[in-house]
Amino acid sequence: MQVTTYGGVSILNAIPLGLGSSCAVDMKVEVEASFGPHNPGSALVDTITGYFTARSGRETTVRVRSNLPQGGGLKSSSAVAAGAVSALSSLTGIEVDIPVLAAQLSIEAGVSVTGALDDVTASLYGGIAVCDNNKMKILRKLPFPDGYIFVILPRGPRKDFDPDLLRGRWPAFKSISSLLYDGKYIEAMARNGLTVSQALGYETDLLLTAVKLGAKASGVSGNGPSLFALVKEGDEGPIMDLFAPLGTPVARRPE
């Protein structure tokens, strides 16, 4: 049983408020589930297979194929969690609330502070997801607007960071959350990306330069270290050149 999920970019970091939003990007993660002996791997995969093995009474295993950097802020763990839970649910016939269980098991495995229900939902269904991570509730799912391209600088894994650096800026994130309720997702993404970069000490000046070069939003995705800029389709060139000295940027469509 094989499932394809997607990486993504943050619209609102969920750590400060519990409210979070993400959108899927065409960076695929493929998860294949089967019955058979499980070779211990990551804490996340071990936790998920352990759950379904215990409930089904049969040993389960998964194989993951992904080019996303682990711990890079591009939702790799959420994509794996969503894909593994979906594939194992189908394999075993055990019906579950896939995004909610994936989020809960991500917390149990220690790979997420909030469970990242917004990341999991966007990864599984595509488009934009807005979720209350404290209540494990999906508030909105909708397509990303047409005509945009993400320029992404994948980096990782990130160094340890203090979540209180984000929680301490909760008034700024509260203001950003009001944009979500007004449906201003790109503006929210722009403000969130720069606020996170400032809080965690990433390249804010570079990201502001991206805006001067035409980016509609730029910033840090997740908790870093990957960077992104959102541009109108066809305007990728200057941002690709801006990011190139730091690594190998890629251009990807919203999914």
Side-chain angles (χ1 to χ4, degrees):
M1 180 60 63
Q2 182 171 303
V3 172
T4 299
T5 54
Y6 297 90
V9 169
S10 298
I11 297 175
L12 176 63
N13 191 298
I15 289 177
L17 305 175
L19 179 71
S21 179
S22 294
C23 66
V25 177
D26 187 16
M27 304 176 80
K28 295 180 181 179
V29 173
E30 295 181 345
V31 181
E32 184 177 355
S34 59
F35 291 114
H38 173 66
N39 294 319
S42 71
L44 177 61
V45 169
D46 291 350
T47 298
I48 294 172
T49 54
Y51 173 90
F52 282 94
T53 293
R55 285 201 57 185
S56 68
R58 297 182 64 182
E59 194 165 7
T60 61
T61 187
V62 298
R63 177 181 298 177
V64 177
R65 290 183 288 274
S66 171
N67 291 322
L68 289 172
Q70 293 185 354
L74 296 174
K75 322 306 181 187
S76 60
S77 293
S78 293
V80 169
V85 171
S86 179
L88 286 165
S89 175
S90 295
L91 176 72
T92 61
I94 297 172
E95 294 186 3
V96 297
D97 185 328
I98 294 170
V100 169
L101 180 60
Q104 291 171 337
L105 293 178
S106 295
I107 294 173
E108 182 178 329
V111 301
S112 176
V113 175
T114 67
L117 180 61
D118 51 312
D119 299 347
V120 170
T121 302
S123 175
L124 189 63
Y125 300 116
I128 295 170
V130 181
C131 297
D132 184 329
N133 288 276
N134 293 334
K135 296 181 179 179
M136 286 292 166
K137 185 176 181 180
I138 299 171
L139 304 178
R140 294 182 186 176
K141 292 188 297 181
L142 65 156
F144 199 88
D146 292 333
Y148 289 96
I149 294 287
F150 282 100
V151 177
I152 296 172
L153 182 67
R155 301 190 295 189
R158 67 177 156 266
K159 298 178 181 178
D160 289 340
F161 77 102
D162 183 356
D164 285 340
L165 293 173
L166 296 173
R167 294 188 183 108
R169 300 198 180 207
W170 70 265
F173 289 99
K174 183 70 173 177
S175 177
I176 296 167
S177 72
S178 68
L179 296 172
L180 291 181
Y181 291 117
D182 291 338
K184 298 178 180 178
Y185 300 103
I186 292 175
E187 187 175 343
M189 176 186 291
R191 289 180 56 184
N192 177 83
L194 292 175
T195 301
V196 174
S197 75
Q198 292 165 349
L200 300 184
Y202 289 106
E203 299 94 335
T204 303
D205 289 345
L206 179 82
L207 297 168
L208 289 171
T209 299
V211 174
K212 293 178 182 178
L213 292 173
K216 306 304 179 183
S218 66
V220 175
S221 184
N223 303 311
S226 297
L227 306 181
F228 75 91
L230 179 70
V231 300
K232 296 294 286 186
E233 193 168 356
D235 293 344
E236 305 95 308
I239 310 299
M240 297 283 283
D241 292 341
L242 178 68
F243 284 177
L246 299 180
T248 305
V250 295
R252 294 288 186 271
R253 297 181 184 278
E255 181 58 41

